[in-house]
Amino acid sequence: MQIKPGMVVKSLSGHDQARFYLVVKTDEDFVYIADGKRRKLSKPKRKNPRHLQKTNRIIPLKETDTDRKIRRALHDLNYNAGTVAEQGG
């Protein structure tokens, strides 16, 4: 199964390692992800799909049309995983 817009993914490498993101869009070689806080919808992060781990969670993009809605959707994943405490914010 390919990574598609609306999927929740976990970053496996880079400065954002172990954080969860929402896939905003995809192209042939890259995936664009946002979390609503560090990476806004207006400027999503371009990431190689090999550096992402898919989850079973899918959030329809029409339900996450603002940064605030994305933060709320990902809040439990990022805070329960302890990643925010590790990164200081």
Side-chain angles (χ1 to χ4, degrees):
M1 183 164 139
Q2 290 184 341
I3 296 177
K4 298 178 183 177
M7 290 182 91
V8 175
V9 294
K10 182 179 180 182
S11 176
L12 298 176
S13 64
H15 72 278
D16 57 356
Q17 183 176 1
R19 288 192 54 87
F20 289 91
Y21 291 90
L22 178 70
V23 176
V24 178
K25 67 178 184 175
T26 61
D27 63 19
E28 293 178 14
D29 299 322
F30 295 101
V31 174
Y32 295 86
I33 57 176
D35 67 352
K37 185 172 184 175
R38 293 180 181 199
R39 286 295 174 168
K40 309 275 185 180
L41 269 174
S42 60
K43 191 172 181 185
K45 178 169 180 58
R46 184 179 79 165
K47 193 104 170 149
N48 190 322
R50 290 182 284 170
H51 300 156
L52 297 172
Q53 179 182 3
K54 295 180 270 188
T55 66
N56 291 333
R57 186 174 288 196
I58 296 175
I59 304 170
L61 290 179
K62 61 184 174 185
E63 292 181 15
T64 54
D65 56 351
T66 65
D67 291 320
R68 184 176 190 170
K69 290 180 182 178
I70 292 174
R71 283 194 309 272
R72 286 187 177 184
L74 299 176
H75 181 269
D76 290 337
L77 293 171
N78 283 324
Y79 279 83
N80 290 339
T83 56
V84 173
E86 294 171 3
Q87 294 183 357

